[in-house]
Amino acid sequence: MAFWLTRERRAQESSFIQRFDPRFWTVNFPRPAMASVIATGADSMQIDVELHHQGELVGLIWDSVDSLDHPLLAYETIRDYSNTILNFHWQSEGVIALDAVNGPTLTIEGRDAAGNPQTWFVRLWNYAVGTATDAAISLPFSQLESGFALPGTPIFAGDIDRMFISLVAPDYVPGSELPLPQRFNGRVTISRITTDGAHGMLEIGDVRLPIHGERIATAYDDGYNQTPARLLRGAVGLGYRTDLVHYVGMSHFMRLSRQGAALLAATVGELCQPAAEWHRNFFDIAHANEFEVIASISYELFDAYCPEPWKQRKADGTQALTGWVPPSTLLSPVNIEAMAWLRVSALRFVTLLELSGQPVRMQIGEPWWWTNAEGEIYLYDDAARAAFGGAPPEIDDLRLPLGADKIALLDQAGALLAQSTAELTAAIRAASGGLAEVLLLAFTPTVLNPQMPELYRANLPAEWAMPAFDRLQLEDYDWLTGGFDALRRAAYAFVDARLSYPVQEQDYLAGFVLDPANAEQFWARIDAGIDEAARRSIARRYVWAQPQINRDGYTRLPSIGEDPMEAFDDVLYPFPLGRSTAVAPEFSTSISVTASGHERRNSLWSDARVHFDVGPGIRSESELSELISFFRARRGAAIGFRISDPFDHSSNGMTDSPTMLDQLIGIGDGQRADFQLVKSYGAGADPQKRPITRPRTETLLVSVDGNPVLDWTIGSKGLLTLTQAPPDGAEVRAGFLFDVPVRFAEDRIDISGVNFDAGEAPSIPLIEIREEL
């Protein structure tokens, strides 16, 4: 299916929004503070904050540059706020009052009239009418003055990058890391937002792409700073529909409580207030746009918020840490408190889904025992050791052969992991009155790592087999973007055999692109992976994830109606071609002659195009009648077919019997498993290569480094797929017989019965088809 990476909006649809539209504000803050912003109407928004330290500050931000939306949906960049007036009604609960010393301040970042970077601090109270918690505020940018009191220093409104309003607790002490006496919760409601004067409107992308049949994945840890309305507007505009996977995250949704000197995930599994408000709004808007949300919760938790006993550990006591910066850790599936926290957290989202009128659909995302690159597995936290009998054998390296006792330990670990997911599944179903759909997400590059061949016992337990979950979801993006196609396909077969979910109960998650420098290459592979999943009859395919889609401008387009039938009938020309057949290979070369008489030749085609005249092969009136029928069935030149070239139809020489060593079709790199059949003509370093798109499959012989290979499939147009990727440097060779794809050269054939009876052969020209690979 077609896609492109959009860098900017050109001729696509656009409309206008009021500058300072509540959907496009964001929030930001340092850990462990938490805040969210939601648009509550066309001119209003709500900001919730949850703070723990005296020095924590939340910023409510307006950016002049829209760096978060997809380029087709972004608003235009105008840094000039001259003669613009922002008006709004301010109401606050709990946060420091407008008239306080550290009261809400508008910080403006930009440049002065001379182009020098400058920051101004505008005290909102100086432009308010009303009380310190309920006031009308008007901000005329060309007349704003920076400073605590007026008169202050005039700002320059002609070149502003961004601005933010600071929100803090009443006990705020700038720079202090001391804890507040107790957790602080506050709220600000901003309503009746209007923009007057110059630059009050912004052009914005208003694209509504056709529905293409794919789904989208979002994540709260990536989108917590934006409004749900903004995220869902983007999903709808880009053609995603039906349902979406929403990962609730591992670092922002949880309520924190002070446990000793640390702030840790509250043992009761509560959501913090900003996250609860955000998700309620997200589920409501999704429901209004006819999206069903699959809320995803995982065994991963931000390390700094995780109680020490909950963490998975390897044999020497080192805790599991992911590669994120700062890192997350993995919850032990057998720690009672950790699993209780996870279970209660999941049920909070069940309640929010139900309150929004959403069906309860929950994904258990990537539950596993952590491993590292050295082959160590993290099975040895105190709770796990106790569950394994107190003294489990130590697995030093999963890459090495394992004894029976260690294999048994992996099987036991898998059973315990499955027990924990079963208990979580049962709790979700019970909370929804048995109506929940529970899905399992597995990441095959980790759980089926070929370097650790026994790891699947622990991380893909047999107890997960259908009907443990309602649906199975798979993702393989490391292999997909890395080109490890043989591993991907082998994993599908392994998972099918082990877990037995029919294809109609499987989903596929494609993506993602961590580094934008890889966008061009990786998105092409991701898009091809989506198409491949469709060919495997995977009906629900999710693009992971929205931040990368927006950042790189990934734009998926639908097929136009049904997939068009290829204008080719895979049938053989019905008459044998003998020595009387005329065959003419043709190249195209441009030749220019210089003034001195020297020639400059430029080969325009990399491969020859062959012409045939098969008329001399017609021997009788019955064959002539059959030819006319064959011509009509092909609709003249419209539809191609196969022909066997009597002079060149083998990989071995021209007509000899094929062998497995005939043609070098590729060199292994340890990753690649797909190789196009080719035939080379001529010796030396640069032979002429002919793609073979119509091999005789029954004649195909394959070898890798001279050894016969039987485990392969041949796809359309001569694409050979090996089950095992050949090792680095290995020669992949093949032998085969082949046909040539051709079409009638003209839309009419002239046949005279009198001439035929007189022994004159008709002219039936054919021309080789260049098939697109």
Side-chain angles (χ1 to χ4, degrees):
M1 192 177 292
F3 83 97
W4 87 91
L5 299 184
T6 307
R7 300 306 181 193
E8 61 182 355
R9 188 173 68 257
R10 294 183 178 175
Q12 294 86 4
E13 288 291 324
S14 64
S15 60
F16 290 87
I17 60 168
Q18 179 179 247
R19 197 174 207 165
F20 306 114
D21 185 308
R23 293 173 296 175
F24 299 98
W25 289 78
T26 61
V27 290
N28 203 359
F29 43 85
R31 299 183 194 275
M34 184 58 204
S36 66
V37 55
I38 61 175
T40 54
D43 64 351
S44 60
M45 56 184 168
Q46 172 183 304
I47 305 94
D48 286 274
V49 301
E50 189 160 307
L51 308 175
H52 300 276
H53 295 95
Q54 293 178 0
E56 289 171 354
L57 180 149
V58 170
L60 174 65
I61 303 167
W62 178 268
D63 275 296
S64 297
V65 179
D66 185 349
S67 61
L68 297 174
D69 287 301
H70 189 281
L72 293 178
L73 295 165
Y75 57 77
E76 69 175 321
T77 298
I78 298 180
R79 291 186 171 86
D80 188 358
Y81 291 71
S82 301
N83 300 310
T84 302
I85 304 170
L86 169 61
N87 306 293
F88 57 89
H89 187 79
W90 171 282
Q91 293 173 293
S92 61
E93 303 172 31
V95 300
I96 198 167
L98 289 168
D99 62 350
V101 170
N102 293 303
T105 298
L106 179 67
T107 299
I108 299 174
E109 298 173 344
R111 281 156 293 279
D112 61 21
N116 301 308
Q118 184 69 50
T119 301
W120 296 276
F121 302 96
V122 178
R123 190 184 183 206
L124 293 187
W125 182 242
N126 291 338
Y127 298 89
V129 176
T131 71
T133 59
D134 189 331
I137 297 176
S138 182
L139 300 174
F141 282 87
S142 289
Q143 301 171 34
L144 291 183
E145 297 181 7
S146 176
F148 184 79
L150 297 179
T153 302
I155 75 160
F156 178 68
D159 194 0
I160 294 175
D161 290 326
R162 73 164 190 164
M163 60 191 69
F164 65 89
I165 297 173
S166 56
L167 306 174
V168 299
D171 298 322
Y172 175 71
V173 178
S176 174
E177 297 182 1
L178 294 176
L180 292 166
Q182 59 185 6
R183 182 191 74 244
F184 171 79
N185 285 91
R187 172 177 294 174
V188 173
T189 300
I190 296 177
S191 60
R192 289 179 254 167
I193 301 172
T194 62
T195 310
D196 297 327
H199 313 300
M201 303 294 287
L202 298 177
E203 185 178 2
I204 189 168
D206 196 24
V207 169
R208 183 68 68 95
L209 293 181
I211 298 172
H212 43 61
E214 311 308 327
R215 283 121 160 124
I216 197 168
T218 64
Y220 186 53
D221 282 348
D222 294 325
Y224 67 88
N225 62 325
Q226 301 172 59
T227 67
R230 184 178 197 169
L231 297 178
L232 289 164
R233 171 185 177 269
V236 171
L238 295 175
Y240 299 94
R241 292 295 189 280
T242 309
D243 60 19
L244 59 86
V245 170
H246 174 70
Y247 177 40
V248 302
M250 52 86 179
S251 61
H252 286 87
F253 73 81
M254 66 287 302
R255 169 150 284 168
L256 304 178
S257 64
R258 193 160 296 281
Q259 301 174 38
L263 272 173
L264 303 175
T267 54
V268 291
E270 296 179 67
L271 307 187
C272 66
Q273 188 65 25
E277 293 295 324
W278 191 96
H279 279 92
R280 182 180 292 109
N281 186 250
F282 184 80
F283 295 159
D284 283 346
I285 298 174
H287 182 64
N289 283 279
E290 299 182 343
F291 279 105
E292 292 184 4
V293 178
I294 302 169
S296 171
I297 195 161
S298 79
Y299 284 51
E300 188 176 356
L301 181 59
F302 187 61
D303 180 64
Y305 298 162
C306 186
E308 291 296 320
W310 296 8
K311 300 176 182 181
Q312 294 182 24
R313 297 181 183 275
K314 64 180 182 179
D316 66 1
T318 303
Q319 69 189 60
L321 291 176
T322 66
W324 301 112
V325 180
S328 53
T329 189
L330 279 295
L331 300 175
S332 171
V334 292
N335 183 285
I336 294 174
E337 282 192 357
M339 291 299 99
W341 175 85
L342 187 66
R343 190 160 52 249
V344 173
S345 297
L347 298 187
R348 305 293 188 198
F349 289 102
V350 169
T351 299
L352 290 173
L353 286 168
E354 291 179 328
L355 289 173
S356 296
Q358 290 269 358
V360 177
R361 302 179 67 189
M362 293 288 297
Q363 179 203 82
I364 302 176
E366 298 177 351
W368 52 29
W369 296 97
W370 191 248
T371 57
N372 61 24
E374 287 70 43
E376 297 171 298
I377 189 167
Y378 291 70
L379 296 174
Y380 301 97
D381 59 273
D382 289 345
R385 285 183 181 274
F388 296 138
E394 294 186 3
I395 299 177
D396 300 319
D397 193 341
L398 283 163
R399 299 169 296 180
L400 302 177
L402 302 179
D405 59 336
K406 295 180 180 179
I407 288 177
L409 176 62
L410 293 176
D411 286 334
Q412 189 179 1
L416 289 173
L417 178 61
Q419 180 181 334
S420 76
T421 58
E423 291 171 353
L424 180 55
T425 298
I428 292 168
R429 288 175 174 161
S432 67
L435 300 177
E437 179 184 72
V438 182
L439 306 88
L440 172 73
L441 175 66
F443 184 61
T444 54
T446 292
V447 300
L448 297 178
N449 185 341
Q451 302 299 317
M452 306 177 195
E454 303 295 342
L455 178 58
Y456 75 92
R457 299 174 179 274
N459 282 343
L460 198 72
E463 292 85 350
W464 281 350
M466 191 176 184
F469 303 95
D470 296 291
R471 299 189 68 81
L472 174 66
Q473 299 188 309
L474 297 177
E475 59 181 342
D476 56 10
Y477 55 79
D478 279 5
W479 286 345
L480 176 67
T481 56
F484 294 86
D485 291 331
L487 292 177
R488 294 173 55 241
R489 293 165 185 149
Y492 301 150
F494 185 91
V495 172
D496 287 348
R498 186 162 176 83
L499 301 186
S500 302
Y501 287 85
V503 68
Q504 62 267 25
E505 305 298 338
Q506 292 188 35
D507 303 335
Y508 180 66
L509 273 71
F512 65 88
V513 184
L514 184 62
D515 185 348
N518 296 323
E520 294 285 344
Q521 180 184 45
F522 282 11
W523 280 114
R525 293 177 178 176
I526 290 167
D527 196 79
I530 295 170
D531 290 341
E532 180 192 63
R535 291 192 296 271
R536 291 192 292 118
S537 299
I538 304 296
R540 302 181 184 182
R541 303 171 298 272
Y542 301 83
V543 187
W544 173 256
Q546 190 173 22
Q548 289 81 33
I549 290 171
N550 289 353
R551 180 198 66 201
D552 299 332
Y554 173 73
T555 308
R556 178 89 171 175
L557 296 178
S559 297
I560 305 301
E562 298 293 325
D563 290 338
M565 292 183 61
E566 185 179 8
F568 192 92
D569 285 345
D570 201 22
V571 297
L572 188 64
Y573 180 71
F575 309 110
L577 275 63
R579 293 281 173 178
S580 59
T581 300
V583 180
E586 172 195 22
F587 280 95
S588 177
T589 305
S590 69
I591 302 175
S592 60
V593 181
T594 67
S596 61
H598 292 88
E599 290 185 349
R600 299 188 184 276
R601 295 178 296 279
N602 181 31
S603 180
L604 303 179
W605 295 354
S606 63
D607 188 18
R609 194 178 195 188
V610 184
H611 296 255
F612 299 86
D613 191 337
V614 297
I618 304 301
R619 305 289 184 180
S620 66
E621 288 189 6
S622 63
E623 288 186 352
L624 187 61
S625 296
E626 189 176 351
L627 170 65
I628 293 172
S629 176
F630 187 83
F631 176 81
R632 290 177 68 92
R634 308 286 87 72
R635 293 170 174 81
I639 299 176
F641 52 94
R642 290 175 178 251
I643 195 170
S644 179
D645 184 342
F647 304 108
D648 184 6
H649 57 258
S650 174
S651 60
N652 186 5
M654 304 301 274
T655 60
D656 293 338
S657 297
T659 76
M660 67 179 185
L661 300 177
D662 291 346
Q663 298 292 326
L664 178 66
I665 61 173
I667 302 295
D669 59 7
Q671 303 178 22
R672 180 182 170 205
D674 293 345
F675 299 88
Q676 176 65 43
L677 294 183
V678 295
K679 181 176 180 180
S680 297
Y681 297 82
D686 187 26
Q688 194 265 313
K689 291 185 180 292
R690 178 185 193 178
I692 302 300
T693 60
R694 301 290 166 175
R696 297 281 183 96
T697 302
E698 69 276 8
T699 69
L700 184 56
L701 302 170
V702 181
S703 67
V704 173
D705 265 356
N707 300 308
V709 173
L710 302 177
D711 204 358
W712 51 262
T713 58
I714 189 74
S716 64
K717 300 178 183 175
L719 184 65
L720 177 72
T721 297
L722 303 180
T723 301
Q724 297 288 334
D728 189 28
E731 286 192 347
V732 182
R733 291 181 172 269
F736 43 83
L737 299 180
F738 63 92
D739 297 324
V740 181
V742 297
R743 61 171 173 83
F744 287 102
E746 300 172 356
D747 275 326
R748 65 181 258 175
I749 52 177
D750 295 314
I751 299 175
S752 169
V754 173
N755 293 342
F756 186 77
D757 289 341
E760 182 179 334
S763 176
I764 312 294
L766 308 178
I767 188 168
E768 183 178 5
I769 297 171
R770 288 277 181 79
E771 295 195 280
E772 185 175 350
L773 300 178

